[in-house]
Each structure stands twice: as structure tokens, then as C-alpha cells.
């Protein structure tokens, strides 16, 4: 039986830290679904369609990400409902710090309790430890250079949407 994992997130926008985790997940599982999920606790900068677009292009342009990775979205219902629909038994999350552990722990237990879906944590390169979508949005909106933190397609997109 093939192993299917879901890497969920807001990806608003996708960062180099996300790509690092996706790459590692793709080397472990037979199929990886990178799932753009609406997070009700956050005010998104980009519509889901644009986040998916940027993710797909970033994945296509990364020679180290194999073809067992697909991009999808889920905006209605529970994350575990998507897992059930596609036969995924594992969620994969990246961990940058103890703060991430505290944030993720209740979700791990809830997803396991709701549907028996387990969560696996992967550590990205420590060089990405300070990189988050929210800081990227903040730095970009204040005119800073984010090209060290996001894939080239995202840096270009953020540049093109900056007010003149
Ligand atoms: O990138 P983010 O915003 O940290 O990702 C958080 C996300 C989207 C993974 C989280 O908000 C989530 O799991 N949302 C799905 C909603 C859900 O199923 N909730 C109940 C179980 S925790």
C-alpha cells in the first residue's frame, strides 16, 4: 500500500522553509499532497488561488522536488476530511522552535482524536528558523528585500505588487 502524506498550511506566501519541508516529505512518502488550507484564525494577504499558483510554480522550479508532490486546496470542512478523501494517514509539519511545538500540539491531538490521522514533524535547515510567511509579508510590505527567504517566483510576485 502506498503512503500518502499531506503537508498543510496557509502558504501566504510559500517560503524557502516550506519548500525544505516539502522536499524532505517527498523523500519519505510515496505521495505528498501540499494542501493550501484556509486558516480561520488569520487574515490572508493572498487569495487561495494565488497561493496555489505560486506554490505550484515554486515546486516546478525546484529541481530537488520530485514528481510525487501535488498541490491542492481545502477551504470547506476539516483538514482530516481531506485526508480521509484522498487516503492520507499522515500530516507533515515543519518545526522551527519550541513555540511551534506549543502551537502544533493541540492540533496533533485533535486530528488524531477526530480521525486517527498522525502528525510527523520535520526540522528544516536551521538557516530557515527565523523565516515565516508573516515576517515575509511584513518585510515585503515595508519595502525590504525578501529574496533570501522565498523562492524566486514569490520574490518576483511581491516585487510586482509593491506600490510604485
Ligand atoms: O500555515 P499555518 O497557518 O500555520 O497552517 C495552519 C493550518 C492551516 C494547518 C491549521 O489552521 C489547520 O489545520 N486548519 C484546518 C482546520 C481544522 O481542521 N481544524 C480542526 C483540527 S485542529
Amino acid at each position: 500500500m502506498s503512503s500518502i502524506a499531506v503537508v498543510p498550511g496557509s502558504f501566504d506566501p510559500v517560503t524557502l522553509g516550506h519548500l525544505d519541508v516539502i522536499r524532505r516529505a517527498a523523500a519519505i512518502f510515496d505521495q505528498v499532497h501540499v494542501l493550501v488550507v484556509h486558516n480561520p484564525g488569520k487574515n490572508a494577504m493572498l487569495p487561495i488561488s494565488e497561493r496555489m499558483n505560486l506554490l505550484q510554480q515554486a515546486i516546478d522550479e525546484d529541481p530537488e522536488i520530485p514528481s510525487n508532490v501535488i498541490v491542492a486546496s481545502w477551504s470547506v470542512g476539516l483538514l482530516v476530511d481531506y485526508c480521509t478523501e484522498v487516503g492520507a494517514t499522515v500530516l507533515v509539519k515543519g518545526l522551527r522552535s519550541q513555540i511551534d511545538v506549543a502551537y502544533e500540539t493541540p492540533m496533533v491531538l485533535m486530528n488524531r482524536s477526530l480521525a486517527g490521522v498522525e502528525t510527523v514533524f520535520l526540522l528544516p535547515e536551521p538557516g530557515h528558523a527565523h523565516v515565516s510567511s508573516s515576517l515575509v509579508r511584513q518585510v515585503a510590505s515595508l519595502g525590504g528585500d525578501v529574496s533570501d527567504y522565498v523562492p524566486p517566483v514569490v520574490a518576483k510576485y511581491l516585487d510586482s505588487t509593491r506600490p510604485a
Side-chain angles (χ1 to χ4, degrees):
M1 209 177 86
S2 72
S3 57
I4 305 176
V6 172
V7 181
S10 299
F11 302 107
D12 188 32
V14 58
T15 67
L16 295 182
H18 291 132
L19 288 184
D20 182 305
V21 169
I22 292 166
R23 204 177 299 129
R24 288 171 202 285
I28 299 171
F29 299 98
D30 295 320
Q31 255 188 66
V32 171
H33 294 222
V34 181
L35 193 68
V36 181
V37 182
H38 169 66
N39 184 341
K42 289 182 180 171
N43 274 331
M45 170 181 75
L46 301 173
I48 285 185
S49 58
E50 198 61 70
R51 290 183 247 163
M52 286 181 76
N53 219 351
L54 291 169
L55 245 176
Q56 187 66 64
Q57 289 183 67
I59 287 170
D60 290 345
E61 287 173 10
D62 188 327
E64 290 179 47
I65 297 185
S67 58
N68 60 340
V69 174
I70 65 162
V71 175
S73 70
W74 191 247
S75 49
V76 180
L78 295 166
L79 174 57
V80 291
D81 292 341
Y82 178 86
C83 294
T84 305
E85 201 165 292
V86 300
T89 51
V90 179
L91 293 166
V92 176
K93 303 273 186 88
L95 276 190
R96 289 162 302 191
S97 67
Q98 290 299 322
I99 295 169
D100 282 352
V101 177
Y103 171 70
E104 296 291 348
T105 298
M107 291 196 275
V108 172
L109 299 176
M110 184 57 81
N111 287 325
R112 189 160 70 194
S113 154
L114 284 168
V117 173
E118 295 288 357
T119 301
V120 167
F121 290 122
L122 296 176
L123 302 191
E125 276 302 312
H128 299 310
H130 59 300
V131 178
S132 65
S133 297
S134 57
L135 275 185
V136 164
R137 291 197 300 273
Q138 188 180 111
V139 171
S141 73
L142 295 172
D145 178 8
V146 293
S147 56
D148 281 349
Y149 318 121
V150 294
V153 64
V154 172
K156 219 153 92 189
Y157 174 87
L158 292 173
D159 240 12
S160 73
T161 56
R162 188 172 291 168

